[in-house]
Amino acid sequence: METIKGYMDHFIFRKSENGYAVVCLVTEDDEITCRGTLSELSPGEKIEAEGEYVTHPIHGLQFQVSSYRTIPPDDCDSMERYLASGAIKGIGEALAARIVKKFKEDTFRIIEEEPERLAEIKGISLQKAQDIGVQMEEKRDLRNALVYLQQFGISNTLAVKIYRTYGDGLYGVMQDNPYKLAEDISGVGFKIADEIASRLGVHTDSDYRIRSGVFYVLMQAVAEGHLYLPDEILMERAAALLGVAQENILPQMENMVMDKKLVIRQGQVYAANLYRTELECAVMLHDLNLPMWEAEALPSQEAAMRSRLEKMMIEHSMELDELQISAVMASIRNGVFILSGGPGTGKTTTINMMLRYFEAEGLDIMLAAPTGRAAKRMTEATGFEARTIHRMLELNSGLSDEDNRRIRFERNEQSPLEADVIIIDEMSMVDIHIFHALLKAIVPGTRLVLVGDVDQLPSVGPGRVLKDIMDSGKFPAVVLNKIFRQAQESDIIVNAHKINMGEHIALDNKSKDFFFLERNDVNVIYKHMIQLISEKLPGYVNATPLDIQVLTPMRRGALGCETLNGILQRYLNPPAPGKQEHLHGDTLFREGDKVMQIKNNYQLGWEITGKNGIVVDQGTGVFNGDMGRVVTIRESLAELVVEYDEHKQVIYPFGMLDELELSYAITIHKSQGSEYPAVLLPLLSGPKMLFNRNLLYTAITRAKQCVMVLGSSRTVGDMIDNTDENKRYTGLKDRICEVVG
C-alpha cells in the first residue's frame, strides 16, 4: 500500500450514482491519474490517498485509491486554488484571489467563523458573504463526517449516504445505536454495523445488537426466497451469527413484536413489512375476485357464452378441447382466474381464444410478463402487444434505488391501470413485491388472468406466488394436462412431461430434437461443447452460435457458468484486431460478448435509435436476467455499450460493470422465462439440493428446437428421482385462506 498527497485538479470521469470517478491529482512532483470512489471530491481539494499503482492496458499507469482523507488547505496558494475551483458557488478565480489577498492564511478561519467580514471585499454583499459561510460549513461538516466514518472502514460513498441520511445527527446514532444504520441505509448491512459497534465497544449481548442480528437473519432469508422463518430456525441462525445463547434472543424478538418490527404467527416469524405485503395481496385478490354475472343469470349466460365460443372457434380456425373451453369460460365469468399447464398443453391457444372473446366484447386488454423476452414471446404468440410488468406499471426510476422495497410505480391505487382485462404470463417468475405492486394498480371489476407453469422453478425474488394462490384453492383455476398432437411430435415436450411425472426418459439418440452424449471427462465435455456450438448445432436449428445457450445448475466448479464462460468466450468470441476489450476485476469484456444484467437497476437508462442516430424511444430500467451483446467499448470515455432485445442500448460506465457478467453459460435459475433455439446442458455431478427434478424440467423446457445433454446418464436419472427442492417459507396461501375464509 502506497500513500500520495496532492490537490484534485479536475474530473476525467465521474458517475455520481455509485461514487466511481477518475481524477487528475497534482502532487509536488507530477500529475497522477487516480481512480476509485472519489466523486464527492471537489476540484482544488487537497487529499492524502492510500492505494496502489496499476497499469491500464490503454491509459497506462494509474493510482487505484482504496481510501483517502481530505486535508484542509494550510497555505495561501492552496486556499486560493480551492476557492477558485468552483467548490463554493459564487466564487470565481478573480474573487478568490481578492479574498486570499486580504485575509491571507486566516482566510478559512474568517469564512467559517466570521463570514460577514467577506462583505469588506468589493463585489461581496452581506447576503452573499453569509451564503459562502453556510456552504463552507456544509463542506466542512461533510469532510469531518467522512474522516470520522473512515476510521470504521466505511467507504466514502457509504459515508456520504450516512451523512445525507442523518446530517450532524450521525454522531449520536453511532454512539447510541450503530445498528440503526443497517435499518435505515441501503448498503449498510449487519456486518458493517457490527464491526462499527465492536470498535465503539458495544457488548456482544447488547439489546440493539441482538435485534439487528435477528432482522439481518430475516433479510438473508428473503434473499434465499423466504418471506418468514420458523422461530426455531430463526433463533438457531441468529444465535450462530451473534455468538449468544438462544434464550437471550427470544425476549428481544418479543420486544420487536411490541415495536411492530416483527410479526409472529403460529411460529412463523416475519419482518412486519413482509407480513403486511402478503396480507394485502390476499385482501386485494379477494376484492378482485368478483363474479361477473348475477347468480340467477348464470345458466342462460353460460349457454350463450358457450355458443359464441363455438362459433368463434370455427371463425378463427381454432381447436379447443373441453378443458380449454372451460378455462376460457372461467376467465370470462370470474374476476380472478389462474391458467396453468406444462409445455405443449395449449396455454397459448387458450389465451388467444380469451383475447378474441374479450376483443369482440369491446373490452380494453393489457398483456404483460415479468421479463422483456417473455413479453416479446407473448406478443409473437398472440398478436397483441405485451409489455414487461415494470413498464406496464410505469416505473418511477427517480424514486428507486438498489433497495427493492423502495421502488415506486406511477400506476398504483391512486392512478390505477385503465383496463377491463389484464393477462399476466410466466407467473411462476413473479415475486411477492412485484405482485403486490401489480394488485395495487388494479381496481375491482377488472378481470385478472394469471398464466404460468406451476412446476417451473420459483421466482428469483422472495415468495412462490403462483403456487401459493393455486394451493389455497380459493380461486378458480384450470390445469391443462393434455399434450396436443403437434406437441407430441417433440421429444423435448414429451420428455419434459415424463420428467415432471417422475418417469425416466430414453437417452438412445433416436430423437430428432433430444440428444444425449455420455461423457464423463470434463475436458472432453469442453471439447464437444465447443464443436456443437460452433459447428454442429447452428445449421441444425438455423441459428447463430451465440443464439445457442449453455445452461448449468451451478455457478462454480468445472461445469459451473463462471468456468464455462471463460472457455466459451475464448472460442466463440476470440480477440481480433480492432475488437476492443476491457478488464474489470476478473472478467474480461470484449466487443461481441454475450452478457447478462445480474441485478435490478431501476434507474439505468436505455435508448432505441433509428436512422441517423435519432432517438425513437427511451426509458429506464434494466432487470436481473436481461441478456444482450456488448456492441462498443470506449476506453476514452470509460464506458461500455450493451444492446438488449428490441435494440435497446444501455451505456455502462466502467464503475458499474459489477452489474454485468458473461452469459455464454448461465444458471438454469437465470434462464426462467426465456426460450432458446437450442439448449446445451452439461451434467456430471453436483449438490443434491441443486440436481433435482424441478431444475431438470425447467432446463429442458427452455429449448424450442433442440436439447443436447452432455455428461452422465446416471446423473440424469438421479435428478429425475430427486424430488427434494429448496423449501420456501411463504405464507400467502395461509393469508388467502384467512381472508377468504
Side-chain angles (χ1 to χ4, degrees):
M1 195 74 72
E2 298 189 50
T3 302
I4 59 174
K5 288 183 183 179
Y7 71 88
M8 201 273 268
D9 186 68
H10 63 276
F11 284 104
I12 299 171
F13 170 80
R14 174 167 54 173
K15 186 69 176 176
S16 58
E17 285 87 343
N18 62 0
Y20 179 82
V22 181
V23 305
C24 175
L25 192 75
V26 179
T27 66
E28 290 183 358
D29 305 318
D30 201 359
E31 290 186 1
I32 301 173
T33 300
C34 298
R35 68 189 196 194
T37 308
L38 303 166
S39 68
E40 293 300 325
L41 280 178
S42 297
E45 280 193 298
K46 191 173 183 179
I47 66 168
E48 180 180 87
E50 288 189 342
E52 58 186 3
Y53 285 98
V54 295
T55 302
H56 190 280
I58 293 178
H59 301 298
L61 194 65
Q62 297 182 338
F63 191 78
Q64 179 70 47
V65 177
S66 57
S67 65
Y68 73 88
R69 67 180 183 89
T70 56
I71 303 170
D74 53 3
D75 61 80
C76 290
D77 287 342
S78 297
M79 291 178 184
E80 183 177 336
R81 187 184 302 116
Y82 177 75
L83 292 175
S85 69
I88 305 297
K89 292 179 182 177
I91 300 180
E93 291 184 12
L95 191 53
R98 293 207 301 273
I99 293 171
V100 175
K101 183 177 181 181
K102 179 171 180 63
F103 298 116
K104 299 184 172 55
E105 284 83 357
D106 213 19
T107 296
F108 272 36
R109 187 196 66 77
I110 294 292
I111 295 176
E112 291 174 354
E113 299 177 11
E114 304 175 74
E116 65 278 0
R117 289 191 57 191
L118 292 173
E120 299 171 13
I121 297 171
K122 185 179 178 180
I124 300 182
S125 65
L126 181 60
Q127 180 62 51
K128 185 171 183 177
Q130 291 172 340
D131 288 344
I132 292 170
V134 169
Q135 288 187 63
M136 200 70 173
E137 184 177 355
E138 289 175 348
K139 292 277 185 180
R140 182 192 62 194
D141 290 344
L142 175 58
R143 284 198 300 270
N144 291 341
L146 295 185
V147 171
Y148 172 73
L149 293 170
Q150 278 177 356
Q151 65 183 307
F152 303 109
I154 297 174
S155 71
N156 288 314
T157 304
L158 208 48
V160 170
K161 276 189 180 182
I162 295 171
Y163 180 77
R164 288 176 179 168
T165 301
Y166 301 117
D168 289 338
L170 75 89
Y171 303 101
V173 172
M174 296 289 285
Q175 291 297 325
D176 296 338
N177 177 18
Y179 294 100
K180 193 170 182 354
L181 301 174
E183 295 181 29
D184 296 341
I185 300 172
S186 173
V188 180
F190 170 79
K191 292 185 177 178
I192 291 176
D194 200 35
E195 184 178 341
I196 294 169
S198 175
R199 295 187 183 188
L200 289 167
V202 176
H203 293 295
T204 57
D205 60 354
S206 154
D207 293 353
Y208 288 135
R209 181 172 186 264
I210 293 174
R211 289 187 185 195
S212 184
V214 166
F215 199 77
Y216 173 76
V217 169
L218 280 176
M219 291 305 99
Q220 290 295 103
V222 170
E224 297 168 11
H226 307 299
L227 285 163
Y228 73 84
L229 281 179
D231 51 9
E232 292 181 0
I233 293 177
L234 174 59
M235 286 194 289
E236 182 181 320
R237 291 188 183 184
L241 171 73
L242 298 166
V244 300
Q246 289 191 25
E247 52 263 31
N248 293 341
I249 296 172
L250 185 57
Q252 295 308 321
M253 288 169 55
E254 292 169 349
N255 289 337
M256 293 173 77
V257 172
M258 295 291 290
D259 293 340
K260 298 184 178 179
K261 298 287 188 184
L262 297 184
V263 173
I264 302 179
R265 295 292 303 272
Q266 299 176 328
Q268 301 172 353
V269 186
Y270 284 87
N273 66 307
L274 293 176
Y275 177 80
R276 287 194 300 271
T277 298
E278 276 196 344
L279 183 59
E280 288 170 8
C281 283
V283 171
M284 289 186 286
L285 276 171
H286 172 264
D287 292 346
L288 284 174
N289 193 31
L290 300 172
M292 293 300 168
W293 300 330
E294 296 295 334
E296 56 270 18
L298 196 58
S300 60
Q301 290 275 28
E302 290 264 357
M305 177 172 58
R306 186 178 185 94
S307 176
R308 286 193 62 188
L309 287 175
E310 289 172 350
K311 289 179 181 178
M312 293 178 76
M313 288 166 58
I314 296 170
E315 180 183 342
H316 294 284
S317 302
M318 297 170 68
E319 292 185 22
L320 277 74
D321 67 11
E322 196 59 37
L323 199 55
Q324 289 174 300
I325 293 172
S326 68
V328 176
M329 292 175 70
S331 72
I332 299 166
R333 189 189 310 124
N334 297 283
V336 176
F337 172 68
I338 300 103
L339 176 66
S340 186
T345 55
K347 292 196 299 294
T348 300
T349 302
T350 308
I351 293 170
N352 276 323
M353 181 54 74
M354 291 178 192
L355 292 171
R356 301 295 177 266
Y357 185 94
F358 291 136
E359 185 182 34
E361 289 287 295
L363 302 181
D364 291 327
I365 307 166
M366 285 187 177
L367 275 62
T371 66
R373 288 196 167 208
K376 184 179 179 182
R377 284 171 48 208
M378 197 178 189
T379 299
E380 292 169 350
T382 64
F384 285 72
E385 181 193 4
R387 294 172 288 174
T388 63
I389 297 173
H390 287 86
R391 199 166 186 195
M392 182 177 72
L393 295 179
E394 298 176 20
L395 178 75
N396 184 333
S397 62
L399 294 174
S400 309
D401 64 14
E402 64 272 18
D403 185 350
N404 198 44
R405 293 169 293 175
R406 297 185 189 177
I407 65 173
R408 296 289 184 271
F409 296 98
E410 294 293 340
R411 293 294 182 174
N412 49 44
E413 57 269 56
Q414 280 80 42
S415 178
L417 294 166
E418 297 168 3
D420 300 306
V421 182
I422 296 173
I423 302 177
I424 308 295
D425 198 11
E426 295 287 357
M427 265 300 299
S428 62
M429 296 179 64
V430 176
D431 66 34
I432 195 70
H433 294 301
I434 298 302
F435 191 57
H436 183 254
L438 173 68
L439 293 178
K440 284 170 66 178
I442 303 176
V443 295
T446 305
R447 290 178 175 86
L448 176 62
V449 180
L450 307 176
V451 183
D453 184 350
V454 76
D455 294 314
Q456 294 284 345
L457 289 170
S459 55
V460 175
R464 50 171 195 175
V465 173
L466 181 64
K467 191 172 192 315
D468 278 355
I469 296 173
M470 291 192 66
D471 287 352
S472 75
K474 300 297 183 180
F475 300 97
V478 169
V479 179
L480 303 176
N481 49 31
K482 175 185 174 183
I483 306 177
F484 284 87
R485 185 173 61 253
Q486 186 175 356
Q488 288 175 356
E489 298 173 4
S490 166
D491 286 318
I492 296 173
I493 291 174
V494 171
N495 286 341
H497 283 272
K498 285 183 177 180
I499 289 167
N500 202 31
M501 297 295 292
E503 298 178 24
H504 283 234
I505 57 177
L507 300 174
D508 53 12
N509 290 330
K510 293 180 179 179
S511 168
K512 295 180 180 178
D513 60 8
F514 197 103
F515 303 98
F516 174 78
L517 290 179
E518 183 82 45
R519 300 291 184 270
N520 295 299
D521 185 303
V522 169
N523 291 315
V524 174
I525 290 176
Y526 294 158
K527 175 185 173 183
H528 285 293
M529 191 180 296
I530 298 299
Q531 287 179 336
L532 287 164
I533 296 173
S534 58
E535 300 172 18
K536 307 291 185 182
L537 289 176
Y540 192 73
V541 297
N542 191 28
T544 71
L546 293 183
D547 292 326
I548 295 162
Q549 189 60 53
V550 177
L551 302 180
T552 173
M554 304 171 294
R555 286 195 59 81
R556 294 178 177 84
L559 293 178
C561 59
E562 291 179 358
T563 301
L564 291 175
N565 272 317
I567 295 170
L568 292 169
Q569 182 195 46
R570 192 184 317 150
Y571 288 94
L572 301 181
N573 188 30
K579 190 183 287 186
Q580 298 297 314
E581 300 178 349
H582 177 74
L583 181 64
H584 179 80
D586 295 330
T587 303
L588 177 67
F589 291 100
R590 183 177 294 140
E591 289 177 348
D593 276 338
K594 280 176 72 172
V595 291
M596 173 184 281
Q597 174 80 12
I598 59 171
K599 64 176 285 190
N600 288 336
N601 188 323
Y602 303 96
Q603 295 177 316
L604 196 56
W606 53 263
E607 288 184 345
I608 300 175
T609 55
K611 290 183 178 179
N612 303 317
I614 298 173
V615 176
V616 297
D617 195 8
Q618 59 186 350
T620 57
V622 185
F623 305 108
N624 189 357
D626 286 354
M627 291 177 65
R629 307 271 173 86
V630 177
V631 292
T632 308
I633 296 176
R634 305 181 183 121
E635 284 287 347
S636 59
L637 298 176
E639 65 185 25
L640 176 152
V641 182
V642 176
E643 184 169 291
Y644 290 100
D645 287 341
E646 301 174 343
H647 305 292
K648 293 178 180 176
Q649 291 203 350
V650 177
I651 296 174
Y652 288 83
F654 287 167
M656 291 180 61
L657 292 183
D658 286 339
E659 297 188 11
L660 282 179
E661 65 182 22
L662 297 177
S663 62
Y664 298 96
I666 63 173
T667 62
I668 296 167
H669 275 90
K670 290 285 190 181
S671 72
Q672 288 174 269
S674 296
E675 275 191 348
Y676 312 98
V679 162
L680 211 157
L681 193 58
L683 296 173
L684 268 184
S685 62
K688 187 178 180 183
M689 61 183 288
L690 282 180
F691 279 59
N692 58 42
R693 181 188 300 173
N694 192 218
L695 202 79
L696 182 60
Y697 172 75
T698 300
I700 286 171
T701 55
R702 300 307 90 206
K704 286 195 290 187
Q705 296 169 255
C706 179
V707 169
M708 173 66 73
V709 181
L710 286 167
S712 164
S713 56
R714 180 174 179 177
T715 297
V716 174
D718 288 345
M719 290 180 76
I720 295 171
D721 293 336
N722 180 13
T723 57
D724 291 342
E725 298 175 29
N726 288 337
K727 178 176 174 56
R728 287 200 168 187
Y729 295 111
T730 66
L732 181 58
K733 172 188 171 183
D734 296 335
R735 304 292 84 77
I736 290 172
C737 292
E738 291 166 2
V739 169
V740 178

